[in-house]
Amino acid sequence: MRVDLPHPWPESVAEAEVIQERLRPRVELTGPADFATVAGLDVHYHGDDALSAAVVVLDAATLSVVEQVVTHGQAAFPYVPGLFAFRELPALVEALRRLTVTPDLLVCDGYGLAHPRGFGLACHVGVLTGLPALGVGKTPFVGAYEQPRQERGAWTPLVLDGAVAGRAVRTRDGVKPVFVSQGHRLTLDTATDQVLRLTPRHRLPEPIRRADHLARHGG
DNA sequence: GCGACAG
DNA sequence: ATCTTGTCGC
């Protein structure tokens, strides 16, 4: 698929923050609710900066693999909470570029709107591709939330600066919730619904599990 | 001021 | 993220 990195790569924290502030207004919080194909994105780190980026496209109805790509590269920025996207974006974009199909939804390993400047990895990937995107975080990062009920499907709002920025969602009975937030071109209801339907069995959505496995063990 | 802080 | 065994439960 077609993707570009239309901004100079930041060389400082200040530059990276400026890019986030500049791109944030481009995020759209409404869009389609149904998707034929869904891609999971993940990165695995080897040494200091060596990494593998994986994208796995699934048929949304059957969860069978349509196409998958792994690329190898280097982290493009030091790890700074809030600027996480700048580490992995070049490798992820390269992997997306090598896809022969264009997925209808991108499921990212990390946060979207639930971010100190409202522009996490899922927003950044969504704005660059123009595709609907959502973020799934495994640990709390920003915001306050109440513990959702123990049953799969239960959720509570994730509140940041007095506004709802995402949801803590129980994807399986009795397991720790995951943190869902909008990335681009979809509502929070749609993001929650998609995460639940893409997680029939485990804690994390199938696209992310597949991408994680591919980045770790290759394909 | 200090600590905590997606992956 | 990664360094790491066994154990409990579906």
Side-chain angles (χ1 to χ4, degrees), chain A residues 42-92:
Chain A
D42 194 25
V43 165
H44 181 253
Y45 293 86
H46 298 83
D48 294 322
D49 277 339
L51 55 78
S52 301
V55 178
V56 179
V57 182
L58 303 184
D59 181 300
T62 64
L63 299 186
S64 60
V65 176
V66 172
E67 186 177 11
Q68 52 182 33
V69 171
V70 206
T71 65
H72 306 285
Q74 298 284 310
F77 203 79
Y79 174 68
V80 180
L83 299 178
F84 172 60
F86 292 97
R87 262 176 103 59
E88 325 195 317
L89 222 31
L92 287 172

Short mmCIF file of all heavy atoms in Angstrom, two decimals, chain A residues 42-92:
data_model
loop_
_atom_site.label_atom_id
_atom_site.label_comp_id
_atom_site.label_asym_id
_atom_site.label_seq_id
_atom_site.Cartn_x
_atom_site.Cartn_y
_atom_site.Cartn_z
N ASP A 42 3.07 -4.74 15.03
CA ASP A 42 3.88 -4.86 16.25
C ASP A 42 5.36 -4.87 15.91
O ASP A 42 5.75 -5.14 14.79
CB ASP A 42 3.51 -6.13 17.02
CG ASP A 42 4.07 -6.11 18.45
OD1 ASP A 42 4.30 -5.02 18.99
OD2 ASP A 42 4.27 -7.19 19.01
N VAL A 43 6.17 -4.53 16.93
CA VAL A 43 7.62 -4.48 16.77
C VAL A 43 8.27 -5.29 17.87
O VAL A 43 7.80 -5.29 19.01
CB VAL A 43 8.11 -3.02 16.82
CG1 VAL A 43 9.61 -2.95 17.01
CG2 VAL A 43 7.71 -2.28 15.54
N HIS A 44 9.34 -5.99 17.52
CA HIS A 44 10.10 -6.74 18.52
C HIS A 44 11.54 -6.25 18.52
O HIS A 44 12.15 -6.14 17.47
CB HIS A 44 10.04 -8.24 18.21
CG HIS A 44 10.79 -9.07 19.19
ND1 HIS A 44 12.00 -9.67 18.90
CD2 HIS A 44 10.53 -9.38 20.48
CE1 HIS A 44 12.43 -10.33 19.96
NE2 HIS A 44 11.56 -10.16 20.93
N TYR A 45 12.08 -5.99 19.73
CA TYR A 45 13.45 -5.48 19.83
C TYR A 45 14.43 -6.61 20.08
O TYR A 45 14.19 -7.50 20.88
CB TYR A 45 13.54 -4.45 20.97
CG TYR A 45 12.75 -3.20 20.65
CD1 TYR A 45 11.39 -3.12 20.95
CD2 TYR A 45 13.34 -2.14 20.01
CE1 TYR A 45 10.65 -2.00 20.62
CE2 TYR A 45 12.63 -1.01 19.68
CZ TYR A 45 11.28 -0.94 19.99
OH TYR A 45 10.55 0.18 19.66
N HIS A 46 15.58 -6.56 19.37
CA HIS A 46 16.60 -7.60 19.52
C HIS A 46 17.70 -7.14 20.45
O HIS A 46 17.84 -7.63 21.55
CB HIS A 46 17.22 -7.95 18.16
CG HIS A 46 16.23 -8.49 17.19
ND1 HIS A 46 15.41 -7.69 16.42
CD2 HIS A 46 15.90 -9.76 16.89
CE1 HIS A 46 14.63 -8.45 15.67
NE2 HIS A 46 14.90 -9.71 15.94
N GLY A 47 18.49 -6.21 20.03
CA GLY A 47 19.60 -5.73 20.84
C GLY A 47 19.30 -4.33 21.33
O GLY A 47 18.20 -4.07 21.81
N ASP A 48 20.26 -3.43 21.22
CA ASP A 48 20.06 -2.06 21.68
C ASP A 48 19.00 -1.36 20.84
O ASP A 48 18.02 -0.85 21.35
CB ASP A 48 21.37 -1.29 21.62
CG ASP A 48 22.38 -1.84 22.62
OD1 ASP A 48 21.96 -2.21 23.73
OD2 ASP A 48 23.58 -1.90 22.27
N ASP A 49 19.23 -1.34 19.52
CA ASP A 49 18.31 -0.62 18.67
C ASP A 49 17.78 -1.46 17.51
O ASP A 49 16.95 -0.99 16.75
CB ASP A 49 19.00 0.64 18.12
CG ASP A 49 18.94 1.79 19.11
OD1 ASP A 49 18.07 1.75 20.00
OD2 ASP A 49 19.78 2.70 19.00
N ALA A 50 18.29 -2.71 17.38
CA ALA A 50 17.82 -3.55 16.29
C ALA A 50 16.38 -4.00 16.56
O ALA A 50 16.03 -4.33 17.69
CB ALA A 50 18.73 -4.76 16.14
N LEU A 51 15.58 -4.00 15.51
CA LEU A 51 14.19 -4.39 15.69
C LEU A 51 13.63 -5.06 14.44
O LEU A 51 14.17 -4.94 13.35
CB LEU A 51 13.34 -3.17 16.06
CG LEU A 51 13.35 -1.95 15.14
CD1 LEU A 51 12.49 -2.16 13.92
CD2 LEU A 51 12.86 -0.74 15.91
N SER A 52 12.53 -5.78 14.64
CA SER A 52 11.76 -6.33 13.54
C SER A 52 10.35 -5.79 13.65
O SER A 52 9.77 -5.79 14.73
CB SER A 52 11.71 -7.86 13.63
OG SER A 52 13.02 -8.39 13.58
N ALA A 53 9.81 -5.33 12.53
CA ALA A 53 8.44 -4.81 12.50
C ALA A 53 7.57 -5.75 11.68
O ALA A 53 7.97 -6.18 10.61
CB ALA A 53 8.42 -3.41 11.89
N ALA A 54 6.41 -6.08 12.20
CA ALA A 54 5.52 -7.02 11.51
C ALA A 54 4.14 -6.41 11.31
O ALA A 54 3.63 -5.70 12.18
CB ALA A 54 5.41 -8.32 12.30
N VAL A 55 3.56 -6.72 10.15
CA VAL A 55 2.18 -6.37 9.87
C VAL A 55 1.49 -7.63 9.37
O VAL A 55 2.00 -8.30 8.47
CB VAL A 55 2.06 -5.27 8.78
CG1 VAL A 55 0.61 -4.97 8.48
CG2 VAL A 55 2.79 -4.01 9.22
N VAL A 56 0.38 -7.98 10.00
CA VAL A 56 -0.38 -9.15 9.57
C VAL A 56 -1.81 -8.72 9.24
O VAL A 56 -2.49 -8.15 10.10
CB VAL A 56 -0.39 -10.24 10.66
CG1 VAL A 56 -1.21 -11.44 10.19
CG2 VAL A 56 1.02 -10.67 11.01
N VAL A 57 -2.24 -8.99 8.02
CA VAL A 57 -3.59 -8.64 7.59
C VAL A 57 -4.49 -9.86 7.73
O VAL A 57 -4.17 -10.94 7.22
CB VAL A 57 -3.59 -8.14 6.12
CG1 VAL A 57 -5.00 -7.73 5.72
CG2 VAL A 57 -2.61 -6.98 5.95
N LEU A 58 -5.59 -9.69 8.45
CA LEU A 58 -6.54 -10.79 8.65
C LEU A 58 -7.87 -10.49 7.98
O LEU A 58 -8.26 -9.32 7.86
CB LEU A 58 -6.79 -11.01 10.15
CG LEU A 58 -5.61 -11.29 11.07
CD1 LEU A 58 -6.12 -11.58 12.48
CD2 LEU A 58 -4.80 -12.47 10.56
N ASP A 59 -8.55 -11.54 7.59
CA ASP A 59 -9.95 -11.42 7.17
C ASP A 59 -10.76 -11.18 8.44
O ASP A 59 -10.71 -12.01 9.36
CB ASP A 59 -10.38 -12.73 6.47
CG ASP A 59 -11.82 -12.67 6.00
OD1 ASP A 59 -12.72 -12.49 6.85
OD2 ASP A 59 -12.04 -12.82 4.79
N ALA A 60 -11.48 -10.09 8.51
CA ALA A 60 -12.16 -9.72 9.76
C ALA A 60 -13.22 -10.74 10.16
O ALA A 60 -13.48 -10.93 11.35
CB ALA A 60 -12.77 -8.34 9.64
N ALA A 61 -13.83 -11.39 9.19
CA ALA A 61 -14.91 -12.33 9.49
C ALA A 61 -14.38 -13.66 10.00
O ALA A 61 -14.91 -14.23 10.96
CB ALA A 61 -15.78 -12.55 8.25
N THR A 62 -13.31 -14.16 9.39
CA THR A 62 -12.82 -15.50 9.72
C THR A 62 -11.55 -15.47 10.56
O THR A 62 -11.14 -16.49 11.12
CB THR A 62 -12.51 -16.28 8.43
OG1 THR A 62 -11.44 -15.61 7.74
CG2 THR A 62 -13.73 -16.35 7.53
N LEU A 63 -10.89 -14.30 10.63
CA LEU A 63 -9.62 -14.13 11.32
C LEU A 63 -8.50 -14.97 10.69
O LEU A 63 -7.50 -15.27 11.34
CB LEU A 63 -9.75 -14.45 12.83
CG LEU A 63 -10.73 -13.56 13.61
CD1 LEU A 63 -10.67 -13.88 15.10
CD2 LEU A 63 -10.42 -12.09 13.38
N SER A 64 -8.67 -15.36 9.43
CA SER A 64 -7.60 -16.07 8.74
C SER A 64 -6.65 -15.04 8.11
O SER A 64 -7.03 -13.91 7.82
CB SER A 64 -8.18 -16.99 7.66
OG SER A 64 -8.91 -16.22 6.73
N VAL A 65 -5.39 -15.46 7.93
CA VAL A 65 -4.35 -14.54 7.45
C VAL A 65 -4.50 -14.30 5.94
O VAL A 65 -4.57 -15.24 5.16
CB VAL A 65 -2.95 -15.09 7.76
CG1 VAL A 65 -1.88 -14.17 7.17
CG2 VAL A 65 -2.76 -15.24 9.26
N VAL A 66 -4.54 -13.02 5.57
CA VAL A 66 -4.62 -12.64 4.16
C VAL A 66 -3.22 -12.36 3.60
O VAL A 66 -2.87 -12.76 2.50
CB VAL A 66 -5.50 -11.38 4.00
CG1 VAL A 66 -5.45 -10.86 2.58
CG2 VAL A 66 -6.94 -11.68 4.42
N GLU A 67 -2.40 -11.65 4.39
CA GLU A 67 -1.03 -11.34 3.97
C GLU A 67 -0.23 -10.93 5.20
O GLU A 67 -0.77 -10.41 6.17
CB GLU A 67 -1.04 -10.19 2.95
CG GLU A 67 0.34 -9.90 2.36
CD GLU A 67 0.31 -8.81 1.29
OE1 GLU A 67 -0.72 -8.13 1.15
OE2 GLU A 67 1.33 -8.65 0.61
N GLN A 68 1.08 -11.19 5.16
CA GLN A 68 1.93 -10.74 6.27
C GLN A 68 3.30 -10.31 5.77
O GLN A 68 3.81 -10.85 4.80
CB GLN A 68 2.06 -11.84 7.33
CG GLN A 68 2.50 -13.19 6.79
CD GLN A 68 2.56 -14.25 7.87
OE1 GLN A 68 1.78 -14.21 8.82
NE2 GLN A 68 3.51 -15.17 7.75
N VAL A 69 3.88 -9.32 6.48
CA VAL A 69 5.17 -8.75 6.11
C VAL A 69 6.01 -8.52 7.36
O VAL A 69 5.49 -8.07 8.38
CB VAL A 69 4.99 -7.39 5.38
CG1 VAL A 69 6.33 -6.71 5.19
CG2 VAL A 69 4.28 -7.57 4.04
N VAL A 70 7.30 -8.87 7.32
CA VAL A 70 8.24 -8.52 8.39
C VAL A 70 9.37 -7.70 7.78
O VAL A 70 9.85 -8.04 6.70
CB VAL A 70 8.92 -9.75 9.03
CG1 VAL A 70 9.33 -9.44 10.45
CG2 VAL A 70 8.07 -10.97 8.93
N THR A 71 9.80 -6.67 8.49
CA THR A 71 10.98 -5.92 8.05
C THR A 71 11.93 -5.81 9.23
O THR A 71 11.51 -5.88 10.39
CB THR A 71 10.62 -4.50 7.57
OG1 THR A 71 10.12 -3.75 8.68
CG2 THR A 71 9.57 -4.53 6.49
N HIS A 72 13.20 -5.66 8.92
CA HIS A 72 14.21 -5.53 9.98
C HIS A 72 14.85 -4.16 9.87
O HIS A 72 15.09 -3.67 8.77
CB HIS A 72 15.25 -6.64 9.85
CG HIS A 72 14.63 -8.00 9.82
ND1 HIS A 72 14.12 -8.59 10.96
CD2 HIS A 72 14.35 -8.84 8.81
CE1 HIS A 72 13.59 -9.76 10.63
NE2 HIS A 72 13.71 -9.94 9.34
N GLY A 73 15.11 -3.54 11.00
CA GLY A 73 15.69 -2.20 10.96
C GLY A 73 16.22 -1.77 12.32
O GLY A 73 16.54 -2.62 13.16
N GLN A 74 16.31 -0.48 12.50
CA GLN A 74 16.83 0.09 13.74
C GLN A 74 15.79 1.03 14.34
O GLN A 74 15.04 1.66 13.59
CB GLN A 74 18.11 0.90 13.43
CG GLN A 74 19.24 0.08 12.84
CD GLN A 74 19.94 -0.76 13.90
OE1 GLN A 74 20.31 -0.25 14.95
NE2 GLN A 74 20.09 -2.04 13.65
N ALA A 75 15.78 1.12 15.65
CA ALA A 75 14.92 2.10 16.31
C ALA A 75 15.34 3.49 15.85
O ALA A 75 16.54 3.78 15.76
CB ALA A 75 15.01 1.98 17.82
N ALA A 76 14.38 4.34 15.53
CA ALA A 76 14.68 5.63 14.91
C ALA A 76 14.69 6.79 15.90
O ALA A 76 14.83 7.95 15.51
CB ALA A 76 13.67 5.90 13.80
N PHE A 77 14.55 6.47 17.18
CA PHE A 77 14.49 7.53 18.20
C PHE A 77 14.69 6.85 19.54
O PHE A 77 14.34 5.68 19.69
CB PHE A 77 13.11 8.22 18.14
CG PHE A 77 13.08 9.62 18.70
CD1 PHE A 77 13.54 10.69 17.95
CD2 PHE A 77 12.57 9.86 19.98
CE1 PHE A 77 13.50 11.99 18.45
CE2 PHE A 77 12.52 11.15 20.48
CZ PHE A 77 12.99 12.22 19.72
N PRO A 78 15.27 7.54 20.54
CA PRO A 78 15.38 6.92 21.86
C PRO A 78 14.00 6.71 22.47
O PRO A 78 13.04 7.36 22.06
CB PRO A 78 16.19 7.94 22.68
CG PRO A 78 16.04 9.22 21.95
CD PRO A 78 15.87 8.88 20.50
N TYR A 79 13.90 5.81 23.44
CA TYR A 79 12.61 5.60 24.08
C TYR A 79 12.32 6.72 25.06
O TYR A 79 12.99 6.89 26.07
CB TYR A 79 12.55 4.26 24.83
CG TYR A 79 11.25 4.14 25.59
CD1 TYR A 79 10.06 4.00 24.90
CD2 TYR A 79 11.22 4.22 26.97
CE1 TYR A 79 8.85 3.94 25.57
CE2 TYR A 79 10.02 4.16 27.66
CZ TYR A 79 8.84 4.01 26.95
OH TYR A 79 7.65 3.96 27.61
N VAL A 80 11.28 7.48 24.74
CA VAL A 80 10.80 8.54 25.62
C VAL A 80 9.29 8.35 25.72
O VAL A 80 8.60 8.37 24.70
CB VAL A 80 11.09 9.94 25.03
CG1 VAL A 80 10.58 11.03 25.95
CG2 VAL A 80 12.58 10.11 24.76
N PRO A 81 8.76 8.10 26.93
CA PRO A 81 7.30 7.95 27.05
C PRO A 81 6.59 9.16 26.46
O PRO A 81 6.94 10.29 26.76
CB PRO A 81 7.08 7.87 28.57
CG PRO A 81 8.38 7.37 29.12
CD PRO A 81 9.44 7.96 28.23
N GLY A 82 5.64 8.90 25.59
CA GLY A 82 4.94 9.99 24.92
C GLY A 82 5.45 10.21 23.50
O GLY A 82 4.78 10.80 22.67
N LEU A 83 6.69 9.72 23.25
CA LEU A 83 7.27 9.86 21.90
C LEU A 83 7.61 8.50 21.33
O LEU A 83 8.41 8.36 20.40
CB LEU A 83 8.54 10.74 21.98
CG LEU A 83 8.29 12.15 22.48
CD1 LEU A 83 9.61 12.92 22.56
CD2 LEU A 83 7.31 12.88 21.57
N PHE A 84 6.96 7.51 21.89
CA PHE A 84 7.19 6.13 21.53
C PHE A 84 7.09 5.89 20.02
O PHE A 84 7.86 5.12 19.43
CB PHE A 84 6.16 5.31 22.29
CG PHE A 84 6.11 3.91 21.91
CD1 PHE A 84 7.22 3.12 22.04
CD2 PHE A 84 4.95 3.36 21.40
CE1 PHE A 84 7.18 1.79 21.66
CE2 PHE A 84 4.91 2.05 21.04
CZ PHE A 84 6.02 1.27 21.16
N ALA A 85 6.14 6.55 19.38
CA ALA A 85 5.89 6.31 17.95
C ALA A 85 7.12 6.57 17.09
O ALA A 85 7.35 5.88 16.09
CB ALA A 85 4.73 7.18 17.47
N PHE A 86 7.93 7.53 17.49
CA PHE A 86 9.09 7.89 16.67
C PHE A 86 10.15 6.80 16.65
O PHE A 86 11.03 6.79 15.80
CB PHE A 86 9.68 9.22 17.15
CG PHE A 86 8.76 10.37 16.89
CD1 PHE A 86 7.92 10.84 17.89
CD2 PHE A 86 8.70 10.96 15.64
CE1 PHE A 86 7.05 11.90 17.65
CE2 PHE A 86 7.84 12.02 15.39
CZ PHE A 86 7.01 12.48 16.39
N ARG A 87 10.08 5.87 17.55
CA ARG A 87 11.00 4.72 17.55
C ARG A 87 10.67 3.76 16.41
O ARG A 87 11.54 3.31 15.69
CB ARG A 87 10.86 3.94 18.87
CG ARG A 87 11.89 4.26 19.89
CD ARG A 87 11.61 3.51 21.17
NE ARG A 87 12.47 2.36 21.38
CZ ARG A 87 13.76 2.39 21.46
NH1 ARG A 87 14.39 3.53 21.27
NH2 ARG A 87 14.47 1.32 21.68
N GLU A 88 9.39 3.43 16.32
CA GLU A 88 8.98 2.31 15.47
C GLU A 88 8.37 2.70 14.14
O GLU A 88 8.22 1.85 13.28
CB GLU A 88 7.95 1.46 16.22
CG GLU A 88 8.16 1.35 17.71
CD GLU A 88 7.33 0.23 18.31
OE1 GLU A 88 6.17 0.10 17.93
OE2 GLU A 88 7.89 -0.50 19.16
N LEU A 89 8.00 3.96 14.00
CA LEU A 89 7.24 4.36 12.82
C LEU A 89 7.93 4.06 11.48
O LEU A 89 7.27 3.51 10.58
CB LEU A 89 6.89 5.85 12.92
CG LEU A 89 5.50 6.30 12.53
CD1 LEU A 89 4.45 5.24 12.79
CD2 LEU A 89 5.17 7.57 13.27
N PRO A 90 9.21 4.38 11.31
CA PRO A 90 9.83 4.10 10.00
C PRO A 90 9.78 2.62 9.64
O PRO A 90 9.48 2.28 8.49
CB PRO A 90 11.28 4.59 10.19
CG PRO A 90 11.17 5.64 11.24
CD PRO A 90 10.12 5.14 12.20
N ALA A 91 10.04 1.75 10.60
CA ALA A 91 10.00 0.30 10.32
C ALA A 91 8.58 -0.16 10.02
O ALA A 91 8.35 -0.96 9.11
CB ALA A 91 10.58 -0.47 11.50
N LEU A 92 7.61 0.34 10.77
CA LEU A 92 6.22 -0.04 10.53
C LEU A 92 5.73 0.46 9.17
O LEU A 92 5.03 -0.25 8.44
CB LEU A 92 5.32 0.51 11.64
CG LEU A 92 5.45 -0.19 13.00
CD1 LEU A 92 4.65 0.56 14.07
CD2 LEU A 92 4.99 -1.64 12.90
#
